[in-house]
Amino acid sequence: MSSPNFSATCPLPISQYPHVLMAHGGGGRLMHRLLEDVFGKAFSNPLLDTRHDSAQFNVPLGRLAMTTDSYVVRPIFFPGGDIGSMAVHGTVNDLAMSGARPLYLSSAFIIEEGLPMETLWRVVCSMRDAAKKCGVQIITGDTKVVDKGKGDGLFINTTGLGVLAHSLNIAPQNVQPGDAVIVSGDLGRHGMAIMAVREGLEFESQIESDSAAVHEPVLELIKAGVEIHCLRDLTRGGLASALNEIAEAAGVKIAIEQNAVPVRADVSAACEILGLDVLHVANEGRFVAFVPAQEVESALAILRRHEVSENAVVIGRLVEKAAPLVTVKSTLGVSRILDMPSGEQLPRIC
Amino acid sequence: MKFLDEYRDAELAQKFAQEIHRITTKPWKIMEVCGGQTHAIVKYGIDELLPKQIELIHGPGCPVCVTPLEVIDQALEIAARPGVIFTSFGDMLRVPGSTTDLLSVKAQGGDVRIIYSPLDAVKIAEQNPAKEVVFFGVGFETTAPATAMAIYQAAQKGLKNFSMLISHVLVPPAIEALMSSPNCQVQAFLAAGHVCAVMGYEEYFPLAKKYRVPIVVTGFEPLDVLHGILLTVQQLESGRAEVENQYVRAVSRAGNQSAQDLVKKVFQVVPRKWRGIGEIPQSGLGLNEAYSAFDAAKKFKLTDRCVDEPAECVAGLILQGLKKPHECPVFGTRCTPEHPFGATMVSSEGACAAYYRYRRQGAKEMVVAS
């Protein structure tokens, strides 16, 4: 039943029901058709095709990495991505942050009654394409339909499993004084893309999300023997939250320079207009790496070979073991504390 | 970024700073009125470039901070009602009233929405004729024209389901109140550039003359602020007390006439209570008689109330420049942006929040010590 070459524009396999009904989650014939014709068709692979309650597979010797994440982004489709591709990228990236090669994903869908079947199909096709590109298989899943008004269209949870083929200890506790802090690309695009769509803000150029999988450059760093001390993907809370979490976990002082942080002009302008600090804005395809100073050049050379991290750059360093603190040197050369955002980013009045 | 990076140039900033160092011979206390300037000063570390003799006092120009507790409580009461869509600028949502905040009201089912322009609230009212749509109209002269335009449009469209809870405030009466206080230590003002972009700066001449204070209309980028400080110190050192305009690229002496006309059409000047300071005569804008049908306080028959501030909060003294945030005993310990005691800790433009975000070291040591 697999059709290897259908694209995101391929026809919707369930035509008689233009919207998802409660019955599609009811365990009967309609649900069976949804699972077969939508999920089964899109995600087809030998492990999923067994249609067993649980997928069974052999694992290579060594350590495994496992992670889970839920995706509730609104709108479902946004410039540069959608909830489906994000649900693959986000979980693949979480695995990559421990240096794992991602192998398998689960996917659980919580669908609000009335969601257009077309929308679901587009999301599923996007997940399929993203998984294929990342070299991972979706091998098990679940579908629930909730009453109209009890969900926000569509929520997706993915759990990821990966293998660790290295002996590094990639963890916040492993960062060392003198480590360089590398960021893998420009910041803030995902958060500003979502905010522009959600709030109907129109800028001259459309800002596209940076949603992407970052495991390939990470795996190449490991393969090349770069001594990575810590990796952290930059999601909600942006760079500021990631660095503060590491500073807290390791008991260290981290210092970065505002001028070194890559930010695209349109993102920077949008942040100015809304009064947001780009260091607090969300990303979905960016990470920071802590590596010893002598490894910086080789690390940057490898990262820059990959499109997703072609703008990788050193933005600061780990100063010392100390009370947890992150500082940023302003464009005027004066240092200040870089704090975590205290909650949701709220645009200022004036 | 074009038109911004030019005003953040480190070399030029150093030159301004060196010139300020060169001419400063005595201690001076300068108040930046606007919260946006406070934010820039702390974020860029501008005060650290200045000579020790120059003390910047953070003024009351943060609209979120000076909105009185009573009005926040009124907003909370309206927002919690069924059938109401309550719209507000983002940073009002976290401001604590006496019991809760708008974010919590939203979590409990209130329809509270962040908007970027009051005109969006008018659109929401048009799209939801069965709901009462209320906009929380706060801010200085800067935001007043947009609020006025929303009221004007709603009236033109004959909208019956739109109203505003208004707590607009005016800068010159606040400067007057500060200067006439016997405790006042302020020797010069950086006036708020964007307020003056709307209003011009005619109103400041009598103030400069009466209180013999230099008033320099100043922008918000680091070089603007440093330039404004330089002009102020030049005046102070030479014994002048004049009104000067640093922010010439945005501000003209007469201001934006159409914006002022619109404000006059819709609003009248009223007495207004400022959080932490108290009532200042003729310091606010309220809807005039012709537009009173859009007054949410009247529409929802809200009663006047009086609420006490938490006793430990020194926001009032901070807003008057009599204390610095880190001189407060609860700053950074029990009072944080997550659990703010007073509004100066809530808004990112509030002096306490700015200090907490950017230079908490003192507070951290206190945490460790306790």
Side-chain angles (χ1 to χ4, degrees):
Chain A
M1 82 178 186
S2 69
S3 151
N5 290 321
F6 59 65
S7 69
T9 54
C10 61
L12 178 65
I14 296 184
S15 53
Q16 64 272 46
Y17 292 102
H19 294 93
V20 175
L21 309 179
M22 286 303 290
H24 281 117
R29 204 176 299 281
L30 277 185
M31 178 160 146
H32 183 69
R33 287 260 60 85
L34 181 74
L35 298 185
E36 287 298 320
D37 296 347
V38 175
F39 300 108
K41 189 170 178 181
F43 298 154
S44 174
N45 59 61
L47 294 179
L48 181 68
D49 293 349
T50 62
R51 298 290 188 269
H52 208 335
D53 275 350
S54 56
Q56 300 162 45
F57 48 85
N58 294 320
V59 290
L61 280 177
R63 286 183 298 162
L64 293 180
M66 183 176 161
T67 186
T68 192
D69 209 341
S70 298
Y71 299 85
V72 298
V73 64
R74 181 174 56 87
I76 290 174
F77 302 98
F78 48 83
D82 58 74
I83 193 171
S85 56
M86 224 175 106
V88 172
H89 295 152
T91 297
V92 162
N93 289 348
D94 282 343
L95 290 173
M97 291 304 106
S98 62
R101 175 178 294 285
L103 292 179
Y104 301 121
L105 298 184
S106 72
S107 72
F109 283 72
I110 296 172
I111 308 169
E112 186 184 7
E113 179 186 21
L115 181 79
M117 197 63 83
E118 176 75 35
T119 301
L120 178 63
W121 181 237
R122 277 177 66 195
V123 169
V124 167
C125 288
S126 169
M127 277 187 88
R128 173 205 61 199
D129 294 345
K132 192 176 168 194
K133 208 173 160 197
C134 293
V136 294
Q137 293 183 322
I138 297 168
I139 58 170
T140 187
D142 179 52
T143 305
K144 295 283 187 299
V145 180
V146 296
D147 291 316
K148 182 94 184 155
K150 298 284 167 64
D152 196 5
L154 178 63
F155 299 145
I156 302 176
N157 170 275
T158 52
T159 291
L161 204 68
V163 289
L164 294 143
H166 63 78
S167 55
L168 295 170
N169 174 24
I170 301 176
Q173 291 76 12
N174 197 31
V175 295
Q176 305 294 333
D179 277 0
V181 181
I182 295 174
V183 67
S184 69
D186 64 302
L187 296 188
R189 266 198 275 148
H190 179 71
M192 296 321 292
I194 295 290
M195 192 165 268
V197 180
R198 199 183 284 175
E199 308 300 345
L201 303 173
E202 289 167 12
F203 301 112
E204 277 174 26
S205 58
Q206 190 176 53
I207 297 173
E208 297 203 327
S209 168
D210 51 20
S211 175
V214 301
H215 61 300
E216 285 181 358
V218 170
L219 291 174
E220 201 185 325
L221 288 175
I222 291 169
K223 197 173 159 197
V226 174
E227 191 195 333
I228 304 168
H229 287 162
C230 182
L231 297 167
R232 179 63 59 103
D233 65 342
L234 308 178
T235 54
R236 284 159 300 162
L239 180 69
S241 284
L243 293 182
N244 274 289
E245 283 165 10
I246 292 169
E248 287 277 344
V252 294
K253 181 180 172 191
I254 299 167
I256 65 163
E257 301 210 3
Q258 184 89 45
N259 281 348
V261 177
V263 184
R264 264 181 21 181
D266 52 357
V267 172
S268 179
C271 286
E272 287 291 339
I273 290 168
L274 297 175
L276 302 177
D277 186 341
V278 73
L279 301 179
H280 289 157
V281 176
N283 310 271
E284 281 295 336
R286 297 286 177 265
F287 62 94
V288 283
F290 285 69
V291 299
Q294 67 272 19
E295 304 263 5
V296 164
E297 271 185 41
S298 51
L300 286 179
I302 290 168
L303 291 172
R304 287 172 183 167
R305 283 208 287 271
H306 294 262
E307 193 184 344
V308 71
S309 52
E310 63 186 358
N311 295 317
V313 65
V314 174
I315 56 163
R317 67 192 182 92
L318 197 150
V319 182
E320 58 189 347
K321 295 265 178 197
L325 188 68
V326 182
T327 64
V328 55
K329 194 186 268 186
S330 80
T331 47
L332 302 191
V334 181
S335 283
R336 64 169 168 89
I337 292 177
L338 176 62
D339 205 3
M340 279 195 199
S342 68
E344 215 182 337
Q345 285 255 278
L346 300 174
R348 302 210 314 268
I349 285 182
C350 54
Chain B
M1 199 185 339
K2 189 92 182 110
F3 306 124
L4 277 181
D5 289 343
E6 297 90 324
Y7 299 99
R8 295 174 185 175
D9 184 280
E11 267 183 47
L12 278 175
Q14 287 298 342
K15 283 189 183 155
F16 273 125
Q18 281 161 14
E19 182 59 13
I20 296 168
H21 275 271
R22 194 186 65 79
I23 64 167
T24 305
T25 63
K26 295 187 203 110
W28 300 112
K29 293 190 182 203
I30 303 170
M31 174 178 275
E32 85 277 1
V33 170
C34 177
Q37 289 163 340
T38 306
H39 191 78
I41 288 165
V42 184
K43 180 173 177 183
Y44 289 96
I46 292 168
D47 50 344
E48 293 185 25
L49 298 177
L50 299 176
K52 293 244 175 314
Q53 300 106 304
I54 293 184
E55 184 183 345
L56 294 177
I57 296 177
H58 313 307
C62 162
V64 172
C65 304
V66 299
T67 301
L69 206 46
E70 291 86 341
V71 179
I72 310 245
D73 282 352
Q74 288 183 330
L76 295 167
E77 188 184 324
I78 296 173
R81 291 194 189 188
V84 166
I85 300 175
F86 193 86
T87 60
S88 169
F89 293 130
D91 47 1
M92 287 306 292
L93 265 62
R94 225 175 17 227
V95 185
S98 43
T99 54
T100 180
D101 56 36
L102 283 167
L103 281 177
S104 304
V105 168
K106 180 168 180 266
Q108 286 157 32
D111 192 345
V112 179
R113 303 186 191 179
I114 294 177
I115 56 171
Y116 295 87
S117 159
L119 300 181
D120 292 341
V122 177
K123 268 189 222 151
I124 293 172
E126 283 182 288
Q127 290 158 358
N128 297 275
K131 301 260 188 169
E132 277 295 331
V133 176
V134 183
F135 175 68
F136 199 177
V138 301
F140 286 86
E141 293 92 327
T142 329
T143 49
T147 312
M149 180 56 95
I151 294 282
Y152 180 74
Q153 283 194 0
Q156 293 286 307
K157 291 171 196 282
L159 290 179
K160 302 276 182 246
N161 64 328
F162 180 73
S163 60
M164 283 201 191
L165 183 63
I166 290 185
S167 188
H168 270 297
V169 281
L170 301 170
V171 169
I175 292 185
E176 174 110 47
L178 284 170
M179 287 312 295
S180 53
S181 153
N183 297 326
C184 180
Q185 303 179 0
V186 181
Q187 293 165 296
F189 289 92
L190 303 183
H194 290 153
V195 166
C196 297
V198 174
M199 300 304 293
Y201 51 91
E202 290 281 1
E203 321 172 73
Y204 297 92
F205 287 94
L207 288 171
K209 194 173 171 195
K210 180 171 173 189
Y211 296 103
R212 289 221 32 87
V213 281
I215 300 178
V216 177
V217 179
T218 303
F220 300 84
E221 292 304 321
L223 291 192
D224 289 322
V225 176
L226 281 163
H227 187 202
I229 293 169
L230 175 62
L231 294 175
T232 310
V233 176
Q234 281 171 346
Q235 287 204 42
L236 288 166
E237 289 283 343
S238 60
R240 289 179 291 130
E242 296 163 6
V243 179
E244 266 186 286
N245 182 13
Q246 179 278 327
Y247 203 29
V248 283
R249 68 182 186 280
V251 175
S252 67
R253 183 163 174 152
N256 180 338
Q257 201 56 53
S258 355
Q260 291 171 29
D261 291 346
L262 189 64
V263 168
K264 273 190 205 128
K265 191 178 182 75
V266 172
F267 291 121
Q268 59 187 354
V269 176
V270 294
R272 177 79 71 211
K273 185 175 173 187
W274 295 51
R275 189 171 191 171
I277 296 179
E279 185 166 305
I280 304 178
Q282 305 299 300
S283 69
L285 293 172
L287 290 168
N288 64 27
E289 198 51 41
Y291 292 90
S292 62
F294 294 98
D295 187 338
K298 283 186 189 155
K299 191 175 208 173
F300 291 91
K301 301 191 170 55
L302 300 180
T303 47
D304 280 341
R305 58 191 85 193
C306 193
V307 192
D308 290 331
E309 296 279 348
E312 291 153 300
C313 180
V314 300
L317 297 175
I318 289 167
L319 289 171
Q320 295 176 71
L322 299 175
K323 268 205 161 120
K324 291 269 186 212
H326 56 264
E327 291 164 6
C328 170
V330 292
F331 170 79
T333 52
R334 284 186 294 135
C335 179
T336 63
E338 287 77 28
H339 300 284
F341 275 41
T344 44
M345 184 55 102
V346 176
S347 163
S348 60
E349 294 190 358
C352 294
Y355 269 64
Y356 184 85
R357 268 176 79 174
Y358 298 135
R359 45 180 75 155
R360 199 169 64 247
Q361 261 140 326
K364 279 216 159 178
E365 281 154 21
M366 277 194 269
V367 175
V368 175
S370 66

